Amino acid sequence: IAVKPVSSLSRSIGNSQNGDISVFSDGNFIYLPDEIDVFDNKADNSRLYWHLVRLESGLFEFGTFDFDFEKAQAKCGDLFPSEEMEAHRGHEGSRIGISELNQFFQCFSKKNLAAALFTIYEHGRIRLLLSQNYPGLVKRSLPIFQNETRRLYRRGQRRNILLTLYSRIAHGMTLEERFEDKVCAQALVDRISALFEKKIMPDNSVETCASLVFMTYDDVLKRLVQHGSGGVETGQPLMNTPFGRFIRSEFVVDTHRPYEAIAVSVREKLRKKGVQVYKSDIRKKLIQNRGALSSQDIQDVIVKMEPKNKAFAEIRGGLGADLTCMDWFEFSNDFKIDSQQENEDALTIAKYPEWDCRINDYLDEHVRVADRAVAGCEGTFYSDTLRRHQGLVTKMRHAFEMLKPE
């Protein structure tokens, strides 16, 4: 993923969710402010750019935007309102332009609170995964964001229970609370933080964060209403996050909208044949392959889901069908999918990188080349031509032999 300034966008991004700085992505590029003057010197401001990019790219590496509404429903079980799931299935065609995350937030009466809680848990999940995979990165970046959180706290959010939760879960730090009922507030923060660790450690998928939203939404809403948080009713953002970091999935949906429609069609076609898949897994394959989809890709997403997602299988009625009975050639005609049957006469198949001028980098294994032996027609045209022009052939051979590399 490459980086671009916000000014290069052809569309309006609207108001920032919070704060003066905002970083977000549309799936192809990470967008940053044209200028940053948080610190007194250029070197520190440049380093802040780097830290913002690394944390934002973590959303892609660890699947934030692969969130799947149906996976969340399976993960949440009885917590998820069944009427919301049925409404989602019935109106999915009209929601192609709405991200799965925003559809999830619409399940709640206070969508701004659901979005804030999800941001808290998801940033916490990303912090833990980055700590496991890139401990050096977290060691360098985390103090900068912790200091900014303290600054926000001192600037007037000392009684914001959401920022207190954010500091504990997303940044692994404890702030000195300034609540009138300090004991009750601390107990709520401690209980939710412990629940986060209990749930995320055995299952660090993005849908686990959705289940945490369901588990904690009522308690946090009750707390905010009791203490007169006006933002709950107005729909405004309920907390500021360090440097305006907020999950904005709508831009990614706009970029990959054509893949969304294809993913829905492929999923429904497979389900009619008794094969269970998730739309997000198909969409991810389409994005990775720039719109191409092979029968092997379909088999990969089916094999990946069967051992784990039994809850979803119970909803849909079984763990799928025997793939040996699938007519891949007929299926490929419907969706222009490369069938393995078309490769049977290939001598060798190889994949090569291809240069993408938009990101100034190579796309790994993007070009697929199948070698085939081409059968020619019987005849003497070739040999007769060589014999008839033997003198010219000799001169041409001599000329090529005289060529030397520079």
Side-chain angles (χ1 to χ4, degrees):
I1 297 180
V3 177
K4 280 189 173 183
V6 171
S7 61
S8 65
L9 274 175
S10 58
R11 55 171 289 185
S12 172
I13 64 171
N15 295 326
S16 175
Q17 291 279 359
N18 46 66
D20 298 327
I21 297 177
S22 181
V23 54
F24 60 93
S25 173
D26 65 357
N28 289 331
F29 302 98
I30 292 176
Y31 292 92
L32 292 167
D34 293 49
E35 296 181 359
I36 289 181
D37 59 354
V38 174
F39 301 106
D40 296 332
N41 61 81
K42 181 178 179 180
D44 287 343
N45 287 318
S46 296
R47 277 192 288 271
L48 178 56
Y49 272 121
W50 185 87
H51 293 303
L52 289 171
V53 169
R54 289 301 298 133
L55 291 181
E56 184 71 12
S57 63
L59 302 183
F60 287 89
E61 181 173 356
F62 301 117
T64 299
F65 300 116
D66 296 330
F67 178 87
D68 191 293
F69 193 94
E70 288 188 326
K71 285 184 181 180
Q73 192 269 347
K75 186 81 65 177
C76 296
D78 294 338
L79 293 172
F80 205 107
S82 58
E83 61 273 13
E84 291 292 347
M85 190 61 197
E86 292 303 321
H88 171 76
R89 293 173 188 161
H91 298 89
E92 190 169 20
S94 63
R95 295 181 176 181
I96 292 296
I98 304 176
S99 73
E100 299 265 317
L101 273 175
N102 286 336
Q103 292 178 40
F104 172 71
F105 298 151
Q106 289 175 0
C107 295
F108 300 86
S109 59
K110 310 300 180 186
K111 295 185 286 293
N112 55 344
L113 176 56
L117 288 172
F118 183 84
T119 297
I120 291 170
Y121 302 136
E122 182 60 9
H123 282 180
R125 184 182 77 95
I126 297 299
R127 174 180 64 84
L128 293 176
L129 289 171
L130 287 172
S131 298
Q132 296 171 9
N133 293 273
Y134 310 105
L137 166 65
V138 174
K139 185 177 180 180
R140 292 193 300 271
S141 299
L142 197 57
I144 296 175
F145 291 88
Q146 289 175 337
N147 289 336
E148 177 64 10
T149 304
R150 293 187 184 97
R151 188 186 70 81
L152 292 172
Y153 207 59
R154 291 192 299 268
R155 199 174 66 178
Q157 295 198 60
R158 292 185 174 184
R159 297 185 180 181
N160 189 331
I161 192 73
L162 290 171
L163 183 62
T164 304
L165 278 170
Y166 186 90
S167 66
R168 175 79 71 85
I169 294 174
H171 291 158
M173 60 184 292
T174 301
L175 296 175
E176 184 181 354
E177 290 82 3
R178 291 288 188 273
F179 300 106
E180 294 177 359
D181 56 339
K182 182 176 180 179
V183 174
C184 294
Q186 186 64 51
L188 179 62
V189 172
D190 290 343
R191 180 166 59 83
I192 292 178
S193 300
L195 180 64
F196 169 78
E197 294 184 2
K198 178 181 178 181
K199 293 294 182 180
I200 210 71
M201 290 303 179
D203 183 359
N204 58 19
S205 66
V206 63
E207 286 79 21
T208 298
C209 295
S211 68
L212 285 164
V213 174
F214 270 116
M215 293 176 185
T216 58
Y217 175 85
D218 289 338
D219 289 340
V220 176
L221 177 60
K222 180 179 178 181
R223 166 84 194 183
L224 292 175
V225 171
Q226 287 177 346
H227 290 78
S229 179
V232 176
E233 300 300 331
T234 62
Q236 297 299 313
L238 296 175
M239 67 173 179
N240 289 344
T241 55
F243 307 117
R245 290 186 64 230
F246 213 87
I247 298 171
R248 305 184 67 175
S249 58
E250 63 271 22
F251 294 104
V252 178
V253 170
D254 287 345
T255 299
H256 301 312
R257 188 174 300 183
Y259 301 147
E260 185 78 8
I262 296 174
V264 171
S265 299
V266 172
R267 183 196 62 187
E268 294 308 312
K269 180 76 172 179
L270 285 166
R271 285 181 177 173
K272 288 179 181 178
K273 295 179 177 293
V275 180
Q276 304 297 334
V277 293
Y278 284 121
K279 179 180 67 176
S280 61
D281 294 332
I282 301 172
R283 182 179 64 237
K284 187 174 182 178
K285 288 288 186 182
L286 287 166
I287 294 171
Q288 289 174 346
N289 300 331
R290 292 290 198 270
L293 199 63
S294 68
S295 57
Q296 184 59 51
D297 291 331
I298 298 296
Q299 293 185 46
D300 287 344
V301 298
I302 296 170
V303 171
K304 183 174 64 175
M305 70 162 287
E306 285 191 355
K308 297 181 180 179
N309 300 304
K310 294 183 179 179
F312 178 76
E314 292 174 359
I315 296 171
R316 289 296 184 178
L319 281 176
D322 183 1
L323 297 182
T324 58
C325 299
M326 177 68 73
D327 185 351
W328 288 111
F329 188 75
E330 178 268 334
F331 189 75
S332 66
N333 286 337
D334 288 346
F335 294 103
K336 297 181 180 179
I337 296 175
D338 292 333
S339 172
Q340 288 182 332
Q341 296 179 20
E342 297 175 0
N343 299 327
E344 291 180 352
D345 59 341
L347 299 176
T348 59
I349 298 176
K351 292 186 177 181
Y352 298 93
E354 181 172 342
W355 181 259
D356 190 329
C357 63
R358 296 177 300 175
I359 63 174
N360 292 321
D361 200 358
Y362 283 97
L363 304 173
D364 292 335
E365 297 187 349
H366 190 67
V367 179
R368 178 174 153 276
V369 179
D371 293 333
R372 291 182 173 87
V374 180
C377 58
E378 295 294 333
T380 61
F381 173 79
Y382 178 72
S383 56
D384 291 344
T385 301
L386 291 180
R387 186 167 50 254
R388 187 162 55 250
H389 301 284
Q390 185 173 3
L392 179 59
V393 170
T394 302
K395 291 181 180 180
M396 292 176 61
R397 182 181 294 116
H398 178 72
F400 276 103
E401 289 174 350
M402 295 298 292
L403 292 176
K404 295 181 180 180
E406 295 182 355

